[in-house]
Amino acid sequence: MEDRNAELIEKILSLKQRRSTVILAHNYQLGEVQDIADFVGDSLALSQNAAKTDAEVIVFCGVHFMAETASILCPDKTVLLPDINAGCPMANMITAEKLREKKREFPGATVVCYVNSTAEVKAESNVCCTSANAVKVIESLDAREILFVPDQYLGHYISTKTDKKMILWPGFCPTHVKIRVQDITRLKLEYPQAKVVVHPECRPEVIALADEVLSTGGMCRFARQTEAKEIAIGTEIGIIHRLRKENPGKKFIPVSEQAVCPNMKLITLEKMLWALEEMAPEVKVPEEIRLKAKAAVDKMLEIGRG
Ligand code: 13P
Ligand code: SF4
């Protein structure tokens, strides 16, 4: 395995030199994929990075909506998603058509979409947000009524931080709902000193038991800065690789080993190599949709991190 990986890594690095290429990887990617990436981060940092890269080719190691966001921001670049089937089930819980219907029901509402959404849904939204800036984005709006799609749990978390009226779409992340209250209570018995950090995609009853509610990038920052030596992580377990690598003196405990996003795990070194050899599969957003979606993404990037 080690030898096979070494061979793949060598080939990927040599192909990268053929055309200027940047490898961006989400914090949930397999360890070996994170290790070969030029940049590893949360959804917001990956969008910011894609927006400013000079590279001609972006190999996006994440899920489809992330590669689409890169394509929305960089229409002249080739954005490769090494497995085109790496989707986000939450993003697929709403369509542009269903959103249009809901907008007709609430004509006075400002539409905020979580970045975990398709380009078509972004194109129907006023502004986009990630888990790193959701509250800041909502608070920045001169609007009383917000239609928030598609994550009901992130939406609920925001509603506890704002006075605005939030209308929530009933979407959810199938990976984060696997994290249960019992997991946290059991963990607190075993590690009474541990700080519990969870992602805002978790259920409200799980969030209520946490010390911190953070995006994956926020978790990495928190882990570096905290005095705590034991940190329980309530999100997809791929992030543990990065946390352990960056903080060798601290102990990271996954709140639930069940919190695995199968789509994130579809990206492998083999598929990255194949993508670079074939310059495929490419993710490209049609221009008409791209321009509308870009307006929502640009507004989010102007606001920055929360
Ligand atoms: P972050 O933006 O916090 O990295 O989260 C992305 C995601 O898909 C969480 O499930
Ligand atoms: Fe989508 Fe959940 Fe996977 Fe994130 S962890 S990409 S929200 S399915």
Side-chain angles (χ1 to χ4, degrees), residues 26 28 42-43 66 114 116 131 176 199 201 215-216:
H26 187 264
Y28 296 160
D42 66 7
S43 310
M66 297 179 176
Y114 189 24
N116 297 39
S131 58
H176 282 84
H199 197 275
E201 286 177 17
S215 72
T216 63

Side-chain angles (χ1 to χ4, degrees), residues 94-107 109 111 118-125 147 149 169 288-289 292:
I94 185 168
T95 61
E97 183 46 41
K98 286 191 183 145
L99 176 53
R100 280 193 288 271
E101 269 171 35
K102 202 74 181 165
K103 280 164 69 174
R104 284 195 284 275
E105 215 181 300
F106 296 97
V111 182
T118 61
E120 287 84 356
V121 165
K122 288 185 176 76
E124 287 291 333
S125 304
L147 172 55
V149 299
W169 189 266
E288 201 193 316
I289 292 173
K292 288 194 206 148

Side-chain angles (χ1 to χ4, degrees), residues 176-300:
H176 282 84
V177 296
K178 292 200 176 121
I179 301 173
R180 299 161 314 158
V181 163
Q182 304 91 287
D183 297 322
I184 303 207
T185 37
R186 195 178 335 107
L187 191 137
K188 281 189 169 178
L189 285 175
E190 201 179 337
Y191 300 96
Q193 305 298 327
K195 285 273 176 219
V196 179
V197 184
V198 305
H199 197 275
E201 286 177 17
C202 290
R203 299 169 190 268
E205 57 272 28
V206 166
I207 288 182
L209 297 177
D211 295 300
E212 302 285 338
V213 183
L214 295 166
S215 72
T216 63
M219 289 180 187
C220 295
R221 244 181 305 279
F222 175 82
R224 278 195 294 276
Q225 289 163 2
T226 181
E227 298 284 307
K229 289 280 174 263
E230 292 177 340
I231 304 147
I233 298 294
T235 194
E236 210 277 345
I237 59 175
I239 194 174
I240 304 277
H241 172 81
R242 173 172 175 190
L243 291 169
R244 288 186 179 146
K245 196 168 149 185
E246 290 181 354
N247 307 277
K250 294 178 183 171
K251 186 174 173 74
F252 295 95
I253 313 125
V255 172
S256 169
E257 295 281 356
Q258 305 298 312
V260 177
C261 176
N263 290 285
M264 284 281 178
K265 306 309 183 221
L266 286 175
I267 310 297
T268 60
L269 291 176
E270 276 93 347
K271 291 177 193 168
M272 290 168 72
L273 176 59
W274 187 85
L276 279 166
E277 278 169 351
E278 302 295 324
M279 283 290 127
E282 186 179 356
V283 173
K284 197 146 186 70
V285 177
E287 193 61 7
E288 201 193 316
I289 292 173
R290 187 188 80 79
L291 289 173
K292 288 194 206 148
K294 187 169 184 296
V297 176
D298 280 346
K299 273 187 222 146
M300 168 184 87

Side-chain angles (χ1 to χ4, degrees), residues 11-191:
K11 286 186 180 161
I12 290 169
L13 294 178
S14 113
L15 275 179
K16 262 183 82 186
Q17 275 158 14
R18 227 196 262 170
R19 285 171 75 175
S20 91
T21 300
V22 67
I23 300 178
L24 303 181
H26 187 264
N27 289 319
Y28 296 160
Q29 288 290 295
L30 293 171
E32 59 264 32
V33 172
Q34 293 188 31
D35 291 345
I36 197 179
D38 296 294
F39 181 79
V40 183
D42 66 7
S43 310
L44 181 64
L46 291 170
S47 311
Q48 289 167 330
N49 233 277
K52 66 170 196 238
T53 184
D54 294 329
E56 281 171 57
V57 179
I58 300 175
V59 180
F60 213 112
C61 303
V63 290
H64 195 268
F65 76 81
M66 297 179 176
E68 251 187 359
T69 307
S71 166
I72 289 166
L73 291 165
C74 319
D76 303 331
K77 299 188 192 310
T78 305
V79 180
L80 303 174
L81 179 62
D83 188 323
I84 203 68
N85 296 315
C88 168
M90 182 211 283
N92 296 331
M93 288 178 187
I94 185 168
T95 61
E97 183 46 41
K98 286 191 183 145
L99 176 53
R100 280 193 288 271
E101 269 171 35
K102 202 74 181 165
K103 280 164 69 174
R104 284 195 284 275
E105 215 181 300
F106 296 97
T110 296
V111 182
V112 181
C113 72
Y114 189 24
V115 72
N116 297 39
S117 53
T118 61
E120 287 84 356
V121 165
K122 288 185 176 76
E124 287 291 333
S125 304
N126 297 92
V127 60
C128 192
C129 74
T130 76
S131 58
N133 62 9
V135 175
K136 192 173 174 190
V137 166
I138 303 261
E139 285 293 276
S140 77
L141 298 171
D142 184 18
R144 278 295 313 138
E145 201 179 48
I146 308 292
L147 172 55
F148 187 79
V149 299
D151 185 7
Q152 61 179 305
Y153 295 131
L154 175 60
H156 178 272
Y157 173 68
I158 300 166
S159 75
T160 65
K161 304 276 167 197
T162 180
D163 292 334
K164 294 186 194 291
K165 179 176 177 219
M166 301 282 294
I167 303 148
L168 308 179
W169 189 266
F172 62 92
C173 164
T175 297
H176 282 84
V177 296
K178 292 200 176 121
I179 301 173
R180 299 161 314 158
V181 163
Q182 304 91 287
D183 297 322
I184 303 207
T185 37
R186 195 178 335 107
L187 191 137
K188 281 189 169 178
L189 285 175
E190 201 179 337
Y191 300 96

